Amino acid sequence: MTTTPLAARADRARWRVPQRHVPVLATLALLLVMYGVGVSQYRAFSNVQVVFNIFIDNGFLLVVAVGMTFVILTGGIDLSVGSVVAMTAMVSASLLRDGLHPALVLLVALLIGPTLGFAMGCVIHFFDIQPFIVTLAGMFFARGMCTWISSTSVPITDGFWTSAAQARIRVGENFVTVSVLIALAVVAVAAFTLAYTRLGRNVYAIGGNPQSALLMGLPVGRTRIAVYTISGLCSAVGGILLSFYTLSGAPLIAVGMELDVIAAVVIGGTLLTGGSGYVFGTVLGVLVLGVIQTLITFDGTLSSWWTKIVIGGLLFAFILLQRLVGIRTK
């Protein structure tokens, strides 16, 4: 039985990987290769707890990266996330030091990020100012607030906070922390929102072509404000998780985190121009950064600056990959 040319083309199309999946698959392949290198070089690297530790050490980064994914999918950027994380941790530590009930501290901390994000989103939409400038102003404001609250580190000794920070959830012979469970819950909610809700469809449509989305009657302004509010909320949650991780707040904590977050999102396959990307890819991007740090730690002879060097190289490579994929889909 011979196959007709039409049937052969249909068969090839059935097995062809969609172009939008290529960056995510490249990130997954890179992660597997890096993990394989680690296992081949260091016997202890194959321990399941090593993987769990990557999540434990980067739980707050993962949450903040999820919020950034929403923003970048619309073609925007949020440079304030690192400072908002620091401000949330500083406010939490300061209020706990003053004796405020932990439940009220959590409420106040969770309101800081989305309030600032909502304000920045409104300025971006109603005054038609570039997100880079608006969020840069938000970054300076939040970092300045950190120093105004305290110029030195503020330790956290509250019983609830320390219990949450030190709690261990057993997974067989290994363990994870409360922060990991919260981070995975945020990932699940974000993935569902982008895949199955009207907001998610609007985010992708605006990132793909904002003018067409506007002509289709989609709520472009409302959606843009929403994504910066979501990014602010994720930054607030990330700040709380960071305060669990360090049991302190410091004015210079999380400096440069916004760059790590953007790198994780881009390495995870989300296009900087918007319209294409997945939360799952962001998770992979954060894991890539975590594996790089773990490999350098296991080596013991390399400076921590090698993390930045490798991340820079990967970022260049993935931006080039995105460009090549974009050219092929035109």
Side-chain angles (χ1 to χ4, degrees), residues 80-175:
S80 70
V81 293
S83 298
V84 173
V85 166
M87 183 169 65
T88 303
M90 283 294 293
V91 169
S92 300
S94 178
L95 293 178
L96 289 169
R97 180 190 57 186
D98 294 340
L100 194 65
H101 194 279
L104 291 177
V105 174
L106 283 173
L107 179 61
V108 172
L110 287 174
L111 287 175
I112 292 173
T115 301
L116 182 58
F118 177 80
M120 292 189 298
C122 288
V123 172
I124 291 169
H125 171 61
F126 290 111
F127 294 92
D128 195 24
I129 302 177
Q130 288 295 321
F132 180 90
I133 298 299
V134 176
T135 58
L136 183 65
M139 179 185 75
F140 284 123
F141 170 79
R143 188 62 66 178
M145 287 296 296
C146 291
T147 307
W148 179 75
I149 294 170
S150 176
S151 59
T152 59
S153 177
V154 180
I156 297 176
T157 58
D158 177 77
F160 170 79
W161 230 260
T162 55
S163 297
Q166 296 169 1
R168 298 290 183 265
I169 294 90
R170 305 302 301 185
V171 182
E173 297 180 355
N174 305 290
F175 68 88

Coordinates of all heavy atoms in Angstrom, one line a residue, residues 80-175:
S80 N 9.7 46.3 39.5 CA 9.5 46.6 40.9 C 9.5 45.4 41.8 O 9.5 45.5 43.1 CB 8.3 47.4 41.2 OG 7.1 46.6 40.9
V81 N 9.5 44.1 41.2 CA 9.2 42.9 42.0 C 10.2 42.7 43.1 O 9.8 42.3 44.2 CB 9.0 41.7 41.1 CG1 7.8 41.8 40.2 CG2 10.3 41.5 40.3
G82 N 11.5 42.9 42.9 CA 12.4 42.6 43.9 C 12.3 43.6 45.1 O 12.4 43.2 46.2
S83 N 12.0 44.8 44.8 CA 11.9 45.8 45.9 C 10.6 45.6 46.6 O 10.5 45.8 47.8 CB 11.9 47.2 45.3 OG 13.1 47.5 44.6
V84 N 9.5 45.1 45.9 CA 8.3 44.8 46.6 C 8.4 43.6 47.5 O 7.9 43.6 48.7 CB 7.1 44.6 45.6 CG1 5.9 44.1 46.3 CG2 6.8 45.9 44.8
V85 N 9.2 42.6 47.1 CA 9.5 41.5 47.9 C 10.2 42.0 49.2 O 9.9 41.6 50.3 CB 10.4 40.5 47.2 CG1 11.0 39.5 48.1 CG2 9.6 39.8 46.1
A86 N 11.2 42.8 49.0 CA 12.0 43.3 50.2 C 11.1 44.2 51.1 O 11.1 44.0 52.3 CB 13.1 44.2 49.7
M87 N 10.2 45.0 50.5 CA 9.3 45.8 51.3 C 8.3 45.0 52.1 O 8.1 45.3 53.3 CB 8.6 46.9 50.5 CG 7.7 47.8 51.3 SD 7.1 49.2 50.3 CE 6.0 48.3 49.1
T88 N 7.8 44.0 51.5 CA 6.9 43.1 52.2 C 7.6 42.4 53.4 O 7.0 42.3 54.5 CB 6.3 42.0 51.2 OG1 5.7 42.6 50.1 CG2 5.3 41.1 51.9
A89 N 8.8 41.9 53.2 CA 9.5 41.2 54.2 C 9.9 42.2 55.3 O 9.8 41.9 56.5 CB 10.8 40.6 53.7
M90 N 10.2 43.5 55.0 CA 10.5 44.5 56.0 C 9.3 44.9 56.8 O 9.4 45.0 58.0 CB 11.1 45.7 55.3 CG 12.6 45.6 54.9 SD 13.7 45.4 56.3 CE 13.6 47.0 57.0
V91 N 8.2 45.1 56.1 CA 7.0 45.4 56.8 C 6.6 44.3 57.8 O 6.2 44.5 58.9 CB 5.8 45.7 55.8 CG1 4.5 45.8 56.5 CG2 6.1 47.0 55.1
S92 N 6.6 43.1 57.3 CA 6.3 41.9 58.1 C 7.2 41.8 59.4 O 6.7 41.7 60.5 CB 6.4 40.6 57.3 OG 5.6 40.6 56.2
A93 N 8.5 42.0 59.2 CA 9.4 41.9 60.3 C 9.2 43.0 61.3 O 9.2 42.8 62.5 CB 10.8 41.9 59.8
S94 N 8.9 44.2 60.8 CA 8.7 45.4 61.6 C 7.5 45.3 62.4 O 7.5 45.6 63.7 CB 8.7 46.7 60.8 OG 8.5 47.8 61.6
L95 N 6.4 44.9 61.8 CA 5.1 44.7 62.5 C 5.1 43.6 63.6 O 4.6 43.8 64.6 CB 4.0 44.5 61.5 CG 3.6 45.7 60.6 CD1 2.5 45.3 59.6 CD2 3.3 46.9 61.4
L96 N 5.8 42.5 63.2 CA 5.9 41.4 64.2 C 6.8 41.9 65.4 O 6.5 41.5 66.5 CB 6.6 40.2 63.5 CG 5.7 39.5 62.5 CD1 6.5 38.5 61.7 CD2 4.5 38.8 63.2
R97 N 7.8 42.7 65.1 CA 8.7 43.2 66.2 C 7.9 44.1 67.1 O 8.1 44.1 68.4 CB 9.8 44.0 65.6 CG 10.8 44.5 66.6 CD 11.8 45.5 66.0 NE 11.1 46.6 65.3 CZ 11.7 47.5 64.5 NH1 13.0 47.4 64.3 NH2 11.0 48.4 63.9
D98 N 6.9 44.8 66.5 CA 6.1 45.7 67.4 C 4.9 45.0 68.1 O 4.1 45.6 68.8 CB 5.5 46.8 66.5 CG 6.6 47.7 65.9 OD1 7.7 47.8 66.5 OD2 6.3 48.4 64.9
G99 N 4.8 43.7 67.9 CA 3.8 42.9 68.6 C 2.5 42.7 68.0 O 1.5 42.2 68.6
L100 N 2.3 43.1 66.7 CA 1.1 42.9 66.0 C 0.8 41.4 65.8 O 1.7 40.7 65.5 CB 1.1 43.7 64.7 CG -0.3 43.9 64.0 CD1 -1.2 44.8 64.8 CD2 -0.1 44.5 62.6
H101 N -0.5 41.0 65.8 CA -0.9 39.6 65.6 C -0.4 39.2 64.2 O -0.6 39.9 63.2 CB -2.4 39.5 65.8 CG -2.8 38.0 66.0 ND1 -2.9 37.2 64.9 CD2 -3.1 37.3 67.1 CE1 -3.3 36.0 65.3 NE2 -3.4 36.0 66.7
P102 N 0.1 37.9 64.1 CA 0.6 37.4 62.8 C -0.5 37.4 61.8 O -0.2 37.6 60.6 CB 1.0 36.0 63.2 CG 1.4 36.0 64.6 CD 0.4 37.0 65.2
A103 N -1.7 37.2 62.1 CA -2.8 37.2 61.1 C -3.0 38.6 60.5 O -3.1 38.7 59.3 CB -4.1 36.7 61.7
L104 N -2.9 39.6 61.3 CA -3.0 41.0 60.8 C -1.8 41.3 60.0 O -1.8 42.0 59.0 CB -3.2 41.9 61.9 CG -4.5 41.9 62.7 CD1 -4.5 42.9 63.9 CD2 -5.7 42.2 61.7
V105 N -0.6 40.8 60.4 CA 0.6 41.1 59.6 C 0.5 40.4 58.2 O 0.9 41.1 57.2 CB 1.8 40.5 60.4 CG1 3.1 40.6 59.5 CG2 2.0 41.2 61.7
L106 N 0.0 39.2 58.2 CA -0.2 38.6 56.9 C -1.1 39.4 56.0 O -0.9 39.5 54.8 CB -0.7 37.1 57.1 CG 0.3 36.1 57.5 CD1 -0.4 34.8 57.8 CD2 1.4 35.8 56.5
L107 N -2.2 39.9 56.6 CA -3.2 40.6 55.8 C -2.5 41.9 55.2 O -2.7 42.2 54.1 CB -4.4 41.0 56.7 CG -5.5 41.8 56.0 CD1 -6.1 41.0 54.8 CD2 -6.6 42.1 57.0
V108 N -1.8 42.6 56.1 CA -1.2 43.9 55.7 C -0.1 43.6 54.6 O -0.1 44.3 53.6 CB -0.5 44.6 56.9 CG1 0.3 45.8 56.4 CG2 -1.6 45.0 57.9
A109 N 0.7 42.5 54.8 CA 1.7 42.2 53.9 C 1.2 41.8 52.5 O 1.7 42.2 51.5 CB 2.6 41.1 54.4
L110 N 0.0 41.1 52.5 CA -0.5 40.6 51.3 C -1.2 41.8 50.5 O -1.5 41.7 49.3 CB -1.6 39.5 51.5 CG -0.9 38.2 51.9 CD1 -2.0 37.2 52.3 CD2 -0.1 37.6 50.7
L111 N -1.5 42.9 51.2 CA -2.2 44.0 50.5 C -1.2 45.0 49.9 O -1.5 45.8 49.0 CB -3.0 44.8 51.6 CG -4.3 44.1 52.0 CD1 -5.0 45.0 53.1 CD2 -5.3 43.9 50.8
I112 N 0.1 44.9 50.4 CA 1.1 45.9 49.9 C 1.4 45.7 48.4 O 1.3 46.7 47.6 CB 2.4 45.7 50.7 CG1 2.2 46.1 52.1 CG2 3.6 46.5 50.0 CD1 3.4 45.8 53.0
G113 N 1.7 44.5 48.0 CA 2.0 44.3 46.6 C 0.9 44.6 45.6 O 1.2 45.3 44.7
P114 N -0.3 44.0 45.8 CA -1.3 44.3 44.8 C -1.7 45.7 44.8 O -2.2 46.2 43.7 CB -2.5 43.4 45.3 CG -2.1 42.9 46.6 CD -0.7 43.0 46.8
T115 N -1.7 46.4 45.9 CA -2.0 47.9 45.9 C -1.0 48.6 45.1 O -1.5 49.5 44.2 CB -2.0 48.4 47.4 OG1 -2.9 47.7 48.2 CG2 -2.3 49.9 47.4
L116 N 0.3 48.4 45.2 CA 1.2 49.1 44.4 C 1.1 48.7 42.9 O 1.2 49.5 42.0 CB 2.7 48.8 44.9 CG 3.8 49.5 44.2 CD1 3.6 51.0 44.2 CD2 5.2 49.1 44.8
G117 N 0.9 47.3 42.7 CA 0.7 46.9 41.4 C -0.5 47.5 40.7 O -0.4 47.8 39.5
F118 N -1.6 47.6 41.4 CA -2.8 48.2 40.8 C -2.5 49.7 40.5 O -2.9 50.1 39.4 CB -3.9 48.1 41.8 CG -5.2 48.8 41.4 CD1 -6.1 48.2 40.5 CD2 -5.5 50.1 41.9 CE1 -7.2 48.8 40.1 CE2 -6.6 50.7 41.5 CZ -7.5 50.1 40.6
A119 N -1.8 50.4 41.3 CA -1.5 51.8 41.1 C -0.6 51.9 39.8 O -0.8 52.8 39.0 CB -0.8 52.4 42.3
M120 N 0.4 51.1 39.7 CA 1.3 51.1 38.5 C 0.5 50.8 37.3 O 0.7 51.4 36.2 CB 2.5 50.2 38.7 CG 3.5 50.7 39.8 SD 5.0 49.7 39.9 CE 4.4 48.0 40.2
G121 N -0.3 49.8 37.4 CA -1.2 49.4 36.2 C -2.1 50.5 35.7 O -2.2 50.7 34.5
C122 N -2.6 51.2 36.7 CA -3.5 52.4 36.3 C -2.7 53.5 35.6 O -3.2 54.1 34.6 CB -4.2 52.9 37.6 SG -5.5 51.8 38.3
V123 N -1.5 53.8 36.2 CA -0.7 54.8 35.5 C -0.3 54.4 34.1 O -0.3 55.2 33.2 CB 0.6 55.1 36.4 CG1 1.6 56.0 35.7 CG2 0.2 55.7 37.8
I124 N 0.1 53.1 34.0 CA 0.5 52.6 32.7 C -0.6 52.7 31.7 O -0.5 53.2 30.5 CB 1.0 51.2 32.8 CG1 2.3 51.1 33.5 CG2 1.1 50.5 31.4 CD1 2.7 49.7 33.9
H125 N -1.9 52.4 32.1 CA -3.0 52.4 31.2 C -3.5 53.8 30.9 O -3.7 54.2 29.8 CB -4.1 51.5 31.7 CG -5.4 51.6 30.9 ND1 -5.5 51.3 29.6 CD2 -6.6 52.0 31.3 CE1 -6.7 51.5 29.2 NE2 -7.4 51.9 30.2
F126 N -3.9 54.5 32.0 CA -4.6 55.8 31.8 C -3.7 56.9 31.3 O -4.2 57.8 30.6 CB -5.3 56.2 33.1 CG -6.4 55.3 33.5 CD1 -6.3 54.5 34.6 CD2 -7.6 55.3 32.8 CE1 -7.3 53.6 35.0 CE2 -8.6 54.5 33.2 CZ -8.5 53.6 34.3
F127 N -2.4 56.8 31.6 CA -1.5 57.9 31.2 C -0.6 57.5 30.0 O 0.2 58.2 29.5 CB -0.6 58.4 32.3 CG -1.4 59.1 33.4 CD1 -1.9 58.3 34.5 CD2 -1.6 60.4 33.4 CE1 -2.6 59.0 35.5 CE2 -2.3 61.1 34.4 CZ -2.8 60.3 35.5
D128 N -0.8 56.2 29.6 CA -0.1 55.6 28.4 C 1.4 55.8 28.5 O 2.1 56.4 27.6 CB -0.6 56.3 27.1 CG -0.2 55.5 25.9 OD1 0.1 54.3 26.0 OD2 -0.1 56.1 24.8
I129 N 2.0 55.4 29.7 CA 3.4 55.5 29.9 C 4.0 54.1 29.8 O 3.4 53.1 30.2 CB 3.7 56.1 31.3 CG1 3.0 57.5 31.4 CG2 5.2 56.2 31.6 CD1 3.2 58.2 32.8
Q130 N 5.2 54.0 29.3 CA 5.9 52.7 29.2 C 6.0 52.0 30.5 O 6.4 52.6 31.5 CB 7.2 52.9 28.6 CG 7.2 53.3 27.1 CD 6.6 52.2 26.2 OE1 6.9 51.0 26.5 NE2 5.8 52.6 25.3
P131 N 5.7 50.7 30.6 CA 5.8 50.0 31.9 C 7.2 50.0 32.5 O 7.4 50.0 33.7 CB 5.5 48.5 31.4 CG 4.6 48.7 30.2 CD 5.1 49.9 29.5
F132 N 8.2 50.1 31.6 CA 9.6 50.2 32.1 C 9.8 51.3 33.1 O 10.4 51.2 34.2 CB 10.6 50.3 30.9 CG 12.0 50.3 31.3 CD1 12.8 49.2 31.5 CD2 12.6 51.5 31.6 CE1 14.1 49.2 31.8 CE2 14.0 51.6 32.0 CZ 14.7 50.4 32.1
I133 N 9.3 52.5 32.7 CA 9.5 53.7 33.5 C 8.6 53.7 34.7 O 9.1 54.0 35.8 CB 9.1 55.0 32.6 CG1 10.1 55.1 31.4 CG2 9.2 56.2 33.5 CD1 11.5 55.2 31.8
V134 N 7.4 53.3 34.6 CA 6.5 53.2 35.7 C 7.0 52.3 36.8 O 7.0 52.6 38.0 CB 5.1 52.9 35.3 CG1 4.1 52.8 36.5 CG2 4.5 53.9 34.3
T135 N 7.3 51.1 36.4 CA 7.8 50.1 37.3 C 9.2 50.4 37.9 O 9.5 50.0 39.0 CB 7.8 48.7 36.7 OG1 8.6 48.6 35.6 CG2 6.3 48.3 36.3
L136 N 10.0 51.1 37.1 CA 11.2 51.6 37.7 C 11.0 52.6 38.8 O 11.7 52.5 39.9 CB 12.1 52.3 36.6 CG 13.5 52.8 36.9 CD1 14.4 51.6 37.3 CD2 14.1 53.6 35.8
A137 N 10.0 53.4 38.6 CA 9.6 54.4 39.7 C 9.1 53.6 40.9 O 9.4 53.9 42.1 CB 8.6 55.3 39.2
G138 N 8.3 52.5 40.7 CA 7.8 51.7 41.7 C 9.0 51.0 42.5 O 8.9 50.8 43.7
M139 N 10.0 50.6 41.7 CA 11.1 49.9 42.3 C 11.8 50.8 43.3 O 12.2 50.5 44.4 CB 12.1 49.5 41.2 CG 13.4 48.8 41.7 SD 14.6 48.4 40.4 CE 15.2 50.0 40.1
F140 N 12.1 52.1 42.9 CA 12.8 53.0 43.7 C 11.9 53.4 45.0 O 12.4 53.5 46.1 CB 13.1 54.3 43.0 CG 14.3 54.2 42.0 CD1 14.2 54.4 40.7 CD2 15.5 53.8 42.5 CE1 15.2 54.3 39.8 CE2 16.6 53.6 41.7 CZ 16.5 53.9 40.3
F141 N 10.6 53.5 44.7 CA 9.7 53.8 45.9 C 9.7 52.7 46.9 O 9.9 53.0 48.1 CB 8.3 54.0 45.3 CG 7.2 54.1 46.4 CD1 7.1 55.3 47.1 CD2 6.5 53.0 46.8 CE1 6.1 55.4 48.2 CE2 5.5 53.1 47.8 CZ 5.3 54.3 48.5
A142 N 9.6 51.5 46.5 CA 9.5 50.3 47.4 C 10.9 50.2 48.1 O 10.9 49.9 49.3 CB 9.2 49.0 46.7
R143 N 12.0 50.3 47.4 CA 13.3 50.2 48.0 C 13.5 51.3 49.0 O 14.1 51.1 50.1 CB 14.4 50.2 47.0 CG 15.8 49.9 47.5 CD 15.9 48.5 48.1 NE 15.7 47.4 47.1 CZ 15.7 46.1 47.4 NH1 16.0 45.7 48.6 NH2 15.5 45.2 46.4
G144 N 13.1 52.5 48.7 CA 13.2 53.6 49.6 C 12.4 53.4 50.9 O 12.8 53.7 52.0
M145 N 11.2 52.8 50.7 CA 10.4 52.5 51.9 C 11.1 51.5 52.8 O 10.9 51.5 54.0 CB 9.0 51.9 51.4 CG 8.1 53.0 50.8 SD 7.6 54.2 52.0 CE 6.7 53.3 53.2
C146 N 11.8 50.5 52.2 CA 12.5 49.6 53.0 C 13.5 50.3 54.0 O 13.6 50.0 55.2 CB 13.3 48.6 52.1 SG 12.3 47.5 51.2
T147 N 14.3 51.2 53.4 CA 15.3 52.0 54.2 C 14.6 52.9 55.2 O 15.1 53.1 56.3 CB 16.2 52.8 53.3 OG1 16.8 51.9 52.3 CG2 17.3 53.4 54.1
W148 N 13.4 53.4 54.8 CA 12.7 54.3 55.8 C 12.2 53.5 57.0 O 12.2 54.0 58.1 CB 11.5 54.9 55.0 CG 10.7 55.8 55.9 CD1 11.0 57.1 56.4 CD2 9.4 55.5 56.5 NE1 10.0 57.5 57.2 CE2 9.0 56.6 57.2 CE3 8.5 54.4 56.4 CZ2 7.8 56.6 57.9 CZ3 7.3 54.4 57.0 CH2 6.9 55.5 57.8
I149 N 11.8 52.3 56.7 CA 11.3 51.4 57.8 C 12.4 51.1 58.8 O 12.3 51.2 60.0 CB 10.7 50.1 57.3 CG1 9.4 50.4 56.5 CG2 10.4 49.1 58.4 CD1 8.9 49.2 55.7
S150 N 13.6 50.7 58.2 CA 14.8 50.4 59.1 C 16.0 50.4 58.2 O 15.9 49.8 57.1 CB 14.6 49.1 59.8 OG 15.8 48.8 60.5
S151 N 17.1 51.0 58.7 CA 18.3 50.9 57.9 C 19.1 49.7 58.2 O 20.2 49.5 57.6 CB 19.1 52.2 58.2 OG 19.4 52.3 59.6
T152 N 18.7 48.9 59.1 CA 19.4 47.7 59.5 C 18.4 46.5 59.4 O 17.2 46.6 59.3 CB 20.0 47.7 60.9 OG1 18.9 48.0 61.8 CG2 21.0 48.9 61.0
S153 N 19.0 45.3 59.5 CA 18.2 44.1 59.4 C 17.3 44.0 60.7 O 17.7 44.3 61.8 CB 19.1 42.9 59.3 OG 18.4 41.7 59.3
V154 N 16.1 43.5 60.5 CA 15.1 43.3 61.5 C 14.8 41.8 61.7 O 14.2 41.2 60.8 CB 13.8 44.0 61.3 CG1 12.8 43.8 62.4 CG2 14.0 45.5 61.0
P155 N 15.3 41.2 62.8 CA 15.1 39.7 63.0 C 13.6 39.4 63.3 O 12.9 40.3 63.8 CB 16.0 39.4 64.1 CG 16.1 40.7 64.9 CD 16.1 41.8 63.9
I156 N 13.2 38.2 63.0 CA 11.8 37.8 63.2 C 11.9 36.7 64.3 O 12.5 35.6 64.0 CB 11.1 37.3 62.0 CG1 10.9 38.4 61.0 CG2 9.7 36.7 62.3 CD1 10.3 38.0 59.6
T157 N 11.2 36.9 65.4 CA 11.2 35.9 66.5 C 9.8 35.4 66.9 O 9.7 34.6 67.8 CB 11.9 36.5 67.8 OG1 11.2 37.6 68.2 CG2 13.4 36.8 67.5
D158 N 8.8 35.9 66.1 CA 7.4 35.5 66.4 C 7.3 34.0 66.3 O 7.8 33.3 65.4 CB 6.5 36.2 65.4 CG 5.1 35.8 65.6 OD1 4.4 36.3 66.5 OD2 4.6 34.9 64.8
G159 N 6.5 33.4 67.2 CA 6.3 31.9 67.3 C 5.7 31.4 66.1 O 6.1 30.3 65.5
F160 N 4.6 32.0 65.5 CA 3.9 31.5 64.3 C 4.9 31.5 63.1 O 5.0 30.6 62.4 CB 2.7 32.3 64.0 CG 2.1 32.0 62.7 CD1 1.3 30.9 62.5 CD2 2.3 32.9 61.6 CE1 0.7 30.6 61.3 CE2 1.8 32.6 60.4 CZ 1.0 31.5 60.2
W161 N 5.6 32.6 63.0 CA 6.5 32.8 61.8 C 7.6 31.7 61.9 O 7.9 31.1 60.9 CB 7.1 34.2 61.8 CG 7.0 34.9 60.5 CD1 7.9 35.0 59.5 CD2 5.8 35.5 60.0 NE1 7.4 35.7 58.4 CE2 6.1 36.1 58.7 CE3 4.5 35.7 60.5 CZ2 5.2 36.8 57.9 CZ3 3.6 36.5 59.7 CH2 4.0 37.0 58.4
T162 N 8.2 31.6 63.0 CA 9.3 30.6 63.1 C 8.8 29.2 63.0 O 9.5 28.3 62.4 CB 10.0 30.8 64.5 OG1 9.1 30.6 65.6 CG2 10.7 32.1 64.6
S163 N 7.6 28.9 63.5 CA 7.0 27.5 63.3 C 6.8 27.2 61.8 O 7.1 26.2 61.4 CB 5.7 27.4 64.1 OG 6.0 27.6 65.5
A164 N 6.2 28.2 61.1 CA 6.0 28.0 59.7 C 7.3 27.9 58.9 O 7.3 27.1 58.0 CB 5.1 29.2 59.2
A165 N 8.3 28.7 59.3 CA 9.6 28.6 58.6 C 10.3 27.3 58.8 O 10.9 26.8 57.9 CB 10.4 29.8 59.1
Q166 N 10.1 26.7 60.0 CA 10.9 25.5 60.4 C 10.1 24.2 60.2 O 10.6 23.1 60.4 CB 11.4 25.6 61.8 CG 12.3 26.8 62.0 CD 12.6 27.1 63.5 OE1 12.1 26.4 64.4 NE2 13.4 28.1 63.8
A167 N 8.8 24.3 59.8 CA 8.0 23.1 59.6 C 8.5 22.3 58.5 O 9.0 22.8 57.4 CB 6.6 23.5 59.4
R168 N 8.5 21.0 58.7 CA 9.0 20.1 57.6 C 7.8 19.1 57.3 O 7.3 18.4 58.2 CB 10.2 19.3 58.1 CG 11.4 20.1 58.5 CD 12.0 20.7 57.2 NE 13.2 21.5 57.5 CZ 13.3 22.8 57.6 NH1 12.1 23.5 57.6 NH2 14.4 23.4 57.8
I169 N 7.5 19.0 56.0 CA 6.5 18.1 55.5 C 7.2 16.9 54.9 O 7.9 17.1 53.9 CB 5.5 18.8 54.5 CG1 4.7 19.9 55.2 CG2 4.6 17.8 53.9 CD1 5.4 21.3 55.1
R170 N 7.0 15.8 55.6 CA 7.7 14.6 55.1 C 7.1 14.1 53.8 O 5.9 14.0 53.6 CB 7.6 13.5 56.2 CG 8.1 13.9 57.6 CD 9.5 14.4 57.6 NE 10.5 13.3 57.1 CZ 11.8 13.5 57.2 NH1 12.3 14.6 57.6 NH2 12.6 12.5 56.7
V171 N 8.0 13.7 52.9 CA 7.7 13.0 51.7 C 8.6 11.8 51.6 O 9.7 11.8 51.1 CB 7.9 13.9 50.4 CG1 7.5 13.2 49.2 CG2 7.2 15.3 50.6
G172 N 8.1 10.7 52.2 CA 8.9 9.5 52.3 C 10.0 9.8 53.3 O 9.7 10.2 54.4
E173 N 11.2 9.5 52.9 CA 12.4 9.8 53.7 C 12.9 11.2 53.6 O 13.8 11.6 54.3 CB 13.5 8.8 53.4 CG 13.1 7.3 53.7 CD 14.3 6.4 53.3 OE1 15.3 6.9 52.8 OE2 14.2 5.2 53.6
N174 N 12.3 12.0 52.7 CA 12.7 13.4 52.5 C 11.7 14.4 53.0 O 10.7 14.0 53.5 CB 13.0 13.6 51.0 CG 14.0 12.5 50.4 OD1 15.1 12.6 50.7 ND2 13.5 11.6 49.6
F175 N 11.9 15.6 52.7 CA 11.0 16.6 53.2 C 10.9 17.9 52.3 O 11.9 18.1 51.6 CB 11.3 17.1 54.7 CG 12.6 17.8 54.8 CD1 12.6 19.2 54.6 CD2 13.8 17.2 55.0 CE1 13.8 19.9 54.7 CE2 15.0 17.9 55.0 CZ 15.0 19.3 54.9

